[in-house]
Amino acid sequence: MSQKSETFSKNNSDTTTEGMMSANVDGASSSGNNELLKTNSESTEPHCVFSKSKKLLICIIVSYAGLVSPFSGTIYFPALTLISETFNVTTSLVNLTVTVYMIFQALSPSFWGSGSDLWGRRPVYIGTLTVFIGACVGLAMAPTFPFLLGMRMIQAFGASSGIALGAGVIGDYTTPAERGGYYSIFTSTQMMATAVGPVIGGAISEELSWRWVFWVLLIVGVVGVVAVIFFLPETLRSLVGNGATAYANPTPQQWLKRRLTKEPKQPKIDSSRFRQIPNILEPFLFLRHPDVLLTMVINGCYSAILYTYMTTTPTHFSRIYGLDQLQVGLCYLPFGFGCIVGSTVGGKILNRDFKITAQKQGMTPEQVKKAGKLSTDFPIYHARLRSAWMQLTLGQLVTIVYGWTLYAEAHLAVPLILQFIAGLSITPVFSVCQTLMIDLFPGKGASITATNNIVRSMLGAVATSTIEPGIDQVGLGWMFTILGLILITNTALVPILTKYGPGWQANRTEKQQLQAEKRREERDVERDIDQSAKGEETPH
């Protein structure tokens, strides 16, 4: 086995087995409590050396980078008709640019997420944002429709990494006790970008030109890549640990400081990992785990329902209330505001539930605050899903009622209030599911988020392609009632996860530990063979 493959095996075994958690909803035994306390009390180093203000700055940067993908998708919608007229193509062909964007948005993170878990967050961030910027220039100057279609694919390829990478970064530097709060900021930014995109796109298309949509996106991308280059440190724990000692993928400030300072230099990381190819199938392989699949189904179904709210608004608000393009765009604002409030409140609930569960397990408030690695006895499923039923139920009820208010052509304020409640209730579900997945797969935050993106985008594509035919067949009221009933079936998955999740996680952890031990034994055997061969070659 070469040094390259040996490094790869070591990195993967260390990253995969480190910090793996499972839960026991019936409560840990006394020995489990002691072990949990021992794990946390023996930790002498902080999980991350970054100050609270620096953590917040990093969260803001990755949240900004994460809005690029949804913002690029929705700001484009008001320009579809103008693009159709410019290139003299049918509406179906123009809609094809939306379809290919969603396909590449779904599949691309499987490469970028796995790459960032291997090479680090910074180089992948910089590379993908650069691709996005180049695609925006091409789109703004597109001479033909086929060229625009191709550039739209490349744009999605570059933009879609932000969500997976951002989740990975937040998972790197946050402890489970604070992760929900930071992740809620990250999620709310994406939802707000989704909501305000049509407003901004409509204003730009109406006052300037559809090409200016892509010049604006170019500016957004440039600001993002500058912020990453100068202010986002490397956070991948297999490269830099808690940020105190290792030196990898430095910012310009870190590079200058290393060369100008007379203090002992931080050790460099073995560069062989940068010559390795990431496993692009890894995000798909996560779905073979039952708990991952069930969690992704919950997250994907609620995401798909979210898409149905957004895609039906322009058509039916225009027909029922006689709104123009800009007025329809403004109708997305209550939904976006609801997403922000829901994410903020949901994050606080996640952190509160974790602290309550941890204290019931015998952890002191100080241990809860500093714990970066939890014992396998910790009931993580119960901690994260403890209050999820509230958001799930509210999302189901508002979806059913929403369709009937449109059917009855109620006052415009009524569906707008319901859209606010939908954002308030559905967005926290995303935070719950994603935070749980990052807890279960520490060090693999970007890859597991890529899995989430695949399921979410595919179910979203199904929802957007079937919602209008469904409304034509059964009407607005019954169509949204069907969607609400689909969400109700998701509620049954929560007790299944809470009951059986700990056992699935324990089995997975045991298998990973056995595989890691087997790889170590293979490396030891090969090292002994190499040493023996070198001894025979040495002249006596």
Short mmCIF file of all heavy atoms in Angstrom, two decimals, residues 383-431:
data_model
loop_
_atom_site.label_atom_id
_atom_site.label_comp_id
_atom_site.label_asym_id
_atom_site.label_seq_id
_atom_site.Cartn_x
_atom_site.Cartn_y
_atom_site.Cartn_z
N ALA A 383 -32.61 14.37 22.12
CA ALA A 383 -32.27 15.78 22.34
C ALA A 383 -32.68 16.64 21.16
O ALA A 383 -33.20 17.75 21.33
CB ALA A 383 -30.77 15.91 22.60
N ARG A 384 -32.46 16.16 19.95
CA ARG A 384 -32.76 16.98 18.77
C ARG A 384 -34.24 16.92 18.36
O ARG A 384 -34.77 17.89 17.81
CB ARG A 384 -31.89 16.52 17.59
CG ARG A 384 -30.40 16.74 17.78
CD ARG A 384 -30.08 18.16 18.18
NE ARG A 384 -28.64 18.41 18.22
CZ ARG A 384 -28.09 19.47 18.80
NH1 ARG A 384 -28.85 20.36 19.42
NH2 ARG A 384 -26.78 19.63 18.78
N LEU A 385 -34.90 15.79 18.59
CA LEU A 385 -36.29 15.62 18.13
C LEU A 385 -37.30 15.90 19.23
O LEU A 385 -38.50 15.74 19.02
CB LEU A 385 -36.49 14.20 17.59
CG LEU A 385 -35.62 13.82 16.39
CD1 LEU A 385 -35.75 12.33 16.09
CD2 LEU A 385 -35.99 14.64 15.16
N ARG A 386 -36.84 16.32 20.37
CA ARG A 386 -37.68 16.48 21.56
C ARG A 386 -38.88 17.39 21.33
O ARG A 386 -39.98 17.12 21.77
CB ARG A 386 -36.81 17.03 22.70
CG ARG A 386 -37.47 17.12 24.06
CD ARG A 386 -36.42 17.50 25.09
NE ARG A 386 -37.01 17.59 26.42
CZ ARG A 386 -37.48 18.71 26.95
NH1 ARG A 386 -37.42 19.83 26.27
NH2 ARG A 386 -37.98 18.71 28.17
N SER A 387 -38.68 18.49 20.62
CA SER A 387 -39.76 19.47 20.40
C SER A 387 -40.18 19.55 18.93
O SER A 387 -40.95 20.46 18.57
CB SER A 387 -39.31 20.86 20.87
OG SER A 387 -38.97 20.86 22.24
N ALA A 388 -39.71 18.63 18.11
CA ALA A 388 -39.97 18.73 16.67
C ALA A 388 -41.45 18.60 16.34
O ALA A 388 -41.91 19.14 15.32
CB ALA A 388 -39.18 17.65 15.92
N TRP A 389 -42.21 17.90 17.19
CA TRP A 389 -43.62 17.68 16.89
C TRP A 389 -44.38 19.00 16.75
O TRP A 389 -45.37 19.09 16.00
CB TRP A 389 -44.25 16.82 17.98
CG TRP A 389 -44.30 17.48 19.33
CD1 TRP A 389 -43.35 17.42 20.31
CD2 TRP A 389 -45.35 18.31 19.83
NE1 TRP A 389 -43.72 18.15 21.39
CE2 TRP A 389 -44.96 18.72 21.14
CE3 TRP A 389 -46.57 18.75 19.33
CZ2 TRP A 389 -45.74 19.55 21.93
CZ3 TRP A 389 -47.36 19.58 20.12
CH2 TRP A 389 -46.95 19.96 21.40
N MET A 390 -43.95 20.04 17.45
CA MET A 390 -44.64 21.33 17.39
C MET A 390 -44.55 21.94 16.00
O MET A 390 -45.56 22.35 15.41
CB MET A 390 -44.06 22.29 18.43
CG MET A 390 -44.29 21.88 19.87
SD MET A 390 -43.77 23.16 21.05
CE MET A 390 -41.99 23.19 20.77
N GLN A 391 -43.32 22.00 15.46
CA GLN A 391 -43.14 22.56 14.12
C GLN A 391 -43.79 21.69 13.06
O GLN A 391 -44.40 22.20 12.11
CB GLN A 391 -41.65 22.73 13.81
CG GLN A 391 -40.94 23.71 14.72
CD GLN A 391 -40.17 23.02 15.83
OE1 GLN A 391 -40.46 21.88 16.17
NE2 GLN A 391 -39.19 23.72 16.40
N LEU A 392 -43.66 20.37 13.21
CA LEU A 392 -44.24 19.44 12.23
C LEU A 392 -45.75 19.61 12.16
O LEU A 392 -46.34 19.72 11.07
CB LEU A 392 -43.89 18.00 12.59
CG LEU A 392 -42.40 17.61 12.53
CD1 LEU A 392 -42.20 16.22 13.10
CD2 LEU A 392 -41.88 17.67 11.10
N THR A 393 -46.40 19.63 13.32
CA THR A 393 -47.86 19.73 13.35
C THR A 393 -48.34 21.06 12.80
O THR A 393 -49.31 21.12 12.02
CB THR A 393 -48.36 19.55 14.79
OG1 THR A 393 -47.90 18.30 15.31
CG2 THR A 393 -49.88 19.58 14.84
N LEU A 394 -47.69 22.15 13.18
CA LEU A 394 -48.10 23.47 12.69
C LEU A 394 -47.94 23.57 11.17
O LEU A 394 -48.81 24.12 10.49
CB LEU A 394 -47.26 24.55 13.38
CG LEU A 394 -47.64 26.01 13.07
CD1 LEU A 394 -49.10 26.27 13.44
CD2 LEU A 394 -46.71 26.97 13.81
N GLY A 395 -46.88 23.01 10.65
CA GLY A 395 -46.67 23.01 9.20
C GLY A 395 -47.74 22.23 8.46
O GLY A 395 -48.17 22.62 7.37
N GLN A 396 -48.18 21.14 9.05
CA GLN A 396 -49.23 20.32 8.42
C GLN A 396 -50.56 21.07 8.38
O GLN A 396 -51.24 21.11 7.35
CB GLN A 396 -49.38 19.02 9.21
CG GLN A 396 -48.16 18.12 9.17
CD GLN A 396 -48.07 17.20 10.37
OE1 GLN A 396 -49.02 17.07 11.14
NE2 GLN A 396 -46.92 16.56 10.54
N LEU A 397 -50.92 21.68 9.51
CA LEU A 397 -52.21 22.36 9.60
C LEU A 397 -52.26 23.58 8.67
O LEU A 397 -53.26 23.79 7.97
CB LEU A 397 -52.47 22.79 11.05
CG LEU A 397 -52.67 21.67 12.06
CD1 LEU A 397 -52.82 22.24 13.47
CD2 LEU A 397 -53.89 20.82 11.71
N VAL A 398 -51.20 24.37 8.65
CA VAL A 398 -51.21 25.58 7.84
C VAL A 398 -51.24 25.24 6.35
O VAL A 398 -51.85 25.96 5.55
CB VAL A 398 -50.01 26.49 8.18
CG1 VAL A 398 -48.71 25.93 7.62
CG2 VAL A 398 -50.22 27.89 7.63
N THR A 399 -50.63 24.13 5.96
CA THR A 399 -50.65 23.72 4.55
C THR A 399 -52.07 23.37 4.10
O THR A 399 -52.49 23.75 3.01
CB THR A 399 -49.71 22.52 4.33
OG1 THR A 399 -48.37 22.91 4.66
CG2 THR A 399 -49.75 22.05 2.88
N ILE A 400 -52.79 22.64 4.94
CA ILE A 400 -54.17 22.27 4.59
C ILE A 400 -55.07 23.51 4.50
O ILE A 400 -55.82 23.69 3.53
CB ILE A 400 -54.73 21.28 5.62
CG1 ILE A 400 -53.95 19.95 5.55
CG2 ILE A 400 -56.21 21.04 5.41
CD1 ILE A 400 -54.31 18.96 6.64
N VAL A 401 -54.94 24.40 5.49
CA VAL A 401 -55.78 25.59 5.51
C VAL A 401 -55.44 26.53 4.35
O VAL A 401 -56.33 27.15 3.76
CB VAL A 401 -55.63 26.32 6.86
CG1 VAL A 401 -56.39 27.65 6.86
CG2 VAL A 401 -56.11 25.43 8.00
N TYR A 402 -54.16 26.63 4.01
CA TYR A 402 -53.70 27.56 2.97
C TYR A 402 -54.41 27.31 1.64
O TYR A 402 -54.88 28.25 0.98
CB TYR A 402 -52.19 27.41 2.80
CG TYR A 402 -51.59 28.28 1.71
CD1 TYR A 402 -51.39 29.64 1.92
CD2 TYR A 402 -51.21 27.74 0.49
CE1 TYR A 402 -50.83 30.44 0.93
CE2 TYR A 402 -50.65 28.53 -0.50
CZ TYR A 402 -50.47 29.88 -0.28
OH TYR A 402 -49.92 30.67 -1.26
N GLY A 403 -54.51 26.06 1.23
CA GLY A 403 -55.15 25.74 -0.04
C GLY A 403 -56.60 26.16 -0.09
O GLY A 403 -57.09 26.67 -1.11
N TRP A 404 -57.31 25.97 1.01
CA TRP A 404 -58.73 26.31 1.03
C TRP A 404 -58.96 27.82 1.07
O TRP A 404 -60.00 28.30 0.57
CB TRP A 404 -59.42 25.63 2.21
CG TRP A 404 -59.51 24.14 2.02
CD1 TRP A 404 -58.82 23.18 2.68
CD2 TRP A 404 -60.33 23.45 1.06
NE1 TRP A 404 -59.13 21.93 2.21
CE2 TRP A 404 -60.07 22.06 1.20
CE3 TRP A 404 -61.24 23.86 0.09
CZ2 TRP A 404 -60.69 21.10 0.43
CZ3 TRP A 404 -61.86 22.89 -0.69
CH2 TRP A 404 -61.59 21.52 -0.52
N THR A 405 -58.04 28.58 1.64
CA THR A 405 -58.19 30.04 1.60
C THR A 405 -58.03 30.57 0.17
O THR A 405 -58.73 31.51 -0.22
CB THR A 405 -57.17 30.73 2.51
OG1 THR A 405 -55.83 30.40 2.08
CG2 THR A 405 -57.35 30.30 3.95
N LEU A 406 -57.11 29.96 -0.60
CA LEU A 406 -56.98 30.36 -2.01
C LEU A 406 -58.20 29.91 -2.80
O LEU A 406 -58.68 30.63 -3.69
CB LEU A 406 -55.70 29.76 -2.60
CG LEU A 406 -54.37 30.30 -2.07
CD1 LEU A 406 -53.21 29.60 -2.76
CD2 LEU A 406 -54.27 31.81 -2.27
N TYR A 407 -58.71 28.73 -2.49
CA TYR A 407 -59.89 28.23 -3.18
C TYR A 407 -61.08 29.17 -2.94
O TYR A 407 -61.87 29.45 -3.86
CB TYR A 407 -60.22 26.83 -2.69
CG TYR A 407 -61.52 26.27 -3.21
CD1 TYR A 407 -61.61 25.73 -4.49
CD2 TYR A 407 -62.67 26.29 -2.41
CE1 TYR A 407 -62.81 25.23 -4.97
CE2 TYR A 407 -63.87 25.78 -2.88
CZ TYR A 407 -63.94 25.26 -4.17
OH TYR A 407 -65.13 24.77 -4.64
N ALA A 408 -61.21 29.65 -1.69
CA ALA A 408 -62.31 30.55 -1.34
C ALA A 408 -62.03 31.99 -1.75
O ALA A 408 -62.90 32.85 -1.57
CB ALA A 408 -62.57 30.48 0.16
N GLU A 409 -60.83 32.25 -2.28
CA GLU A 409 -60.42 33.60 -2.68
C GLU A 409 -60.60 34.59 -1.52
O GLU A 409 -61.19 35.67 -1.67
CB GLU A 409 -61.18 34.06 -3.92
CG GLU A 409 -60.94 33.16 -5.14
CD GLU A 409 -61.57 33.69 -6.41
OE1 GLU A 409 -62.16 34.79 -6.38
OE2 GLU A 409 -61.47 33.00 -7.46
N ALA A 410 -60.06 34.18 -0.37
CA ALA A 410 -60.12 35.03 0.82
C ALA A 410 -59.28 36.29 0.59
O ALA A 410 -58.51 36.39 -0.36
CB ALA A 410 -59.60 34.26 2.03
N HIS A 411 -59.44 37.25 1.49
CA HIS A 411 -58.68 38.50 1.39
C HIS A 411 -57.18 38.19 1.31
O HIS A 411 -56.68 37.24 1.93
CB HIS A 411 -58.97 39.38 2.61
CG HIS A 411 -58.42 40.77 2.49
ND1 HIS A 411 -57.11 41.08 2.77
CD2 HIS A 411 -59.01 41.93 2.09
CE1 HIS A 411 -56.91 42.38 2.57
NE2 HIS A 411 -58.06 42.92 2.16
N LEU A 412 -56.46 39.01 0.53
CA LEU A 412 -55.03 38.77 0.30
C LEU A 412 -54.25 38.61 1.60
O LEU A 412 -53.28 37.84 1.66
CB LEU A 412 -54.45 39.92 -0.53
CG LEU A 412 -52.95 39.87 -0.83
CD1 LEU A 412 -52.59 38.62 -1.63
CD2 LEU A 412 -52.51 41.13 -1.57
N ALA A 413 -54.66 39.33 2.64
CA ALA A 413 -53.92 39.26 3.91
C ALA A 413 -53.93 37.86 4.50
O ALA A 413 -52.97 37.45 5.18
CB ALA A 413 -54.53 40.25 4.91
N VAL A 414 -54.99 37.09 4.23
CA VAL A 414 -55.11 35.76 4.85
C VAL A 414 -54.04 34.80 4.33
O VAL A 414 -53.29 34.21 5.14
CB VAL A 414 -56.53 35.18 4.62
CG1 VAL A 414 -56.62 33.76 5.20
CG2 VAL A 414 -57.58 36.08 5.24
N PRO A 415 -53.88 34.58 3.00
CA PRO A 415 -52.81 33.69 2.55
C PRO A 415 -51.42 34.21 2.87
O PRO A 415 -50.49 33.42 3.08
CB PRO A 415 -53.04 33.58 1.03
CG PRO A 415 -53.85 34.77 0.67
CD PRO A 415 -54.71 35.04 1.86
N LEU A 416 -51.26 35.54 2.93
CA LEU A 416 -49.94 36.08 3.28
C LEU A 416 -49.59 35.77 4.73
O LEU A 416 -48.45 35.42 5.05
CB LEU A 416 -49.91 37.59 3.05
CG LEU A 416 -49.94 38.06 1.59
CD1 LEU A 416 -49.88 39.57 1.50
CD2 LEU A 416 -48.81 37.44 0.78
N ILE A 417 -50.58 35.86 5.62
CA ILE A 417 -50.34 35.50 7.03
C ILE A 417 -50.02 34.00 7.13
O ILE A 417 -49.13 33.60 7.89
CB ILE A 417 -51.57 35.86 7.88
CG1 ILE A 417 -51.71 37.38 7.99
CG2 ILE A 417 -51.46 35.24 9.28
CD1 ILE A 417 -53.00 37.84 8.66
N LEU A 418 -50.75 33.19 6.36
CA LEU A 418 -50.49 31.76 6.38
C LEU A 418 -49.11 31.43 5.81
O LEU A 418 -48.44 30.50 6.28
CB LEU A 418 -51.58 31.03 5.60
CG LEU A 418 -52.97 31.04 6.23
CD1 LEU A 418 -53.99 30.37 5.32
CD2 LEU A 418 -52.95 30.36 7.60
N GLN A 419 -48.65 32.19 4.81
CA GLN A 419 -47.29 31.98 4.30
C GLN A 419 -46.26 32.32 5.37
O GLN A 419 -45.23 31.66 5.50
CB GLN A 419 -47.06 32.83 3.05
CG GLN A 419 -47.71 32.27 1.80
CD GLN A 419 -47.10 32.83 0.53
OE1 GLN A 419 -46.15 33.61 0.56
NE2 GLN A 419 -47.65 32.44 -0.60
N PHE A 420 -46.53 33.38 6.15
CA PHE A 420 -45.63 33.71 7.26
C PHE A 420 -45.57 32.54 8.26
O PHE A 420 -44.48 32.14 8.70
CB PHE A 420 -46.12 34.97 7.97
CG PHE A 420 -45.43 35.24 9.27
CD1 PHE A 420 -44.20 35.87 9.31
CD2 PHE A 420 -46.01 34.85 10.48
CE1 PHE A 420 -43.55 36.09 10.51
CE2 PHE A 420 -45.38 35.09 11.69
CZ PHE A 420 -44.14 35.71 11.71
N ILE A 421 -46.74 31.99 8.61
CA ILE A 421 -46.77 30.86 9.55
C ILE A 421 -46.08 29.64 8.95
O ILE A 421 -45.41 28.87 9.66
CB ILE A 421 -48.22 30.54 9.94
CG1 ILE A 421 -48.87 31.75 10.63
CG2 ILE A 421 -48.28 29.33 10.87
CD1 ILE A 421 -50.35 31.57 10.92
N ALA A 422 -46.24 29.45 7.63
CA ALA A 422 -45.56 28.32 6.97
C ALA A 422 -44.05 28.45 7.09
O ALA A 422 -43.35 27.49 7.43
CB ALA A 422 -45.98 28.25 5.50
N GLY A 423 -43.52 29.64 6.82
CA GLY A 423 -42.09 29.86 6.99
C GLY A 423 -41.66 29.68 8.42
O GLY A 423 -40.60 29.13 8.72
N LEU A 424 -42.52 30.16 9.35
CA LEU A 424 -42.22 30.05 10.79
C LEU A 424 -42.14 28.61 11.24
O LEU A 424 -41.32 28.26 12.10
CB LEU A 424 -43.33 30.78 11.55
CG LEU A 424 -43.25 30.80 13.08
CD1 LEU A 424 -42.14 31.74 13.54
CD2 LEU A 424 -44.58 31.24 13.67
N SER A 425 -42.96 27.73 10.66
CA SER A 425 -43.04 26.34 11.14
C SER A 425 -42.16 25.37 10.36
O SER A 425 -41.62 24.41 10.93
CB SER A 425 -44.50 25.86 11.08
OG SER A 425 -45.00 25.94 9.76
N ILE A 426 -42.01 25.60 9.06
CA ILE A 426 -41.29 24.63 8.23
C ILE A 426 -39.78 24.79 8.33
O ILE A 426 -39.04 23.80 8.39
CB ILE A 426 -41.75 24.74 6.77
CG1 ILE A 426 -43.22 24.31 6.65
CG2 ILE A 426 -40.88 23.91 5.85
CD1 ILE A 426 -43.80 24.45 5.25
N THR A 427 -39.29 26.02 8.39
CA THR A 427 -37.84 26.25 8.42
C THR A 427 -37.16 25.58 9.62
O THR A 427 -36.07 25.00 9.47
CB THR A 427 -37.53 27.75 8.42
OG1 THR A 427 -38.22 28.38 7.34
CG2 THR A 427 -36.04 28.00 8.26
N PRO A 428 -37.73 25.62 10.85
CA PRO A 428 -37.07 24.93 11.96
C PRO A 428 -36.92 23.42 11.74
O PRO A 428 -36.00 22.81 12.31
CB PRO A 428 -38.00 25.21 13.15
CG PRO A 428 -38.71 26.47 12.79
CD PRO A 428 -38.89 26.40 11.32
N VAL A 429 -37.79 22.82 10.94
CA VAL A 429 -37.66 21.39 10.64
C VAL A 429 -36.33 21.12 9.94
O VAL A 429 -35.64 20.13 10.22
CB VAL A 429 -38.84 20.90 9.78
CG1 VAL A 429 -38.66 19.43 9.39
CG2 VAL A 429 -40.15 21.09 10.51
N PHE A 430 -35.95 22.03 9.03
CA PHE A 430 -34.67 21.87 8.34
C PHE A 430 -33.51 21.92 9.33
O PHE A 430 -32.55 21.14 9.24
CB PHE A 430 -34.48 22.97 7.28
CG PHE A 430 -35.59 23.05 6.26
CD1 PHE A 430 -35.89 24.25 5.64
CD2 PHE A 430 -36.34 21.93 5.93
CE1 PHE A 430 -36.90 24.33 4.69
CE2 PHE A 430 -37.35 21.99 4.99
CZ PHE A 430 -37.63 23.20 4.38
N SER A 431 -33.58 22.87 10.28
CA SER A 431 -32.51 23.00 11.27
C SER A 431 -32.40 21.75 12.14
O SER A 431 -31.29 21.28 12.44
CB SER A 431 -32.77 24.23 12.15
OG SER A 431 -32.74 25.41 11.39
#
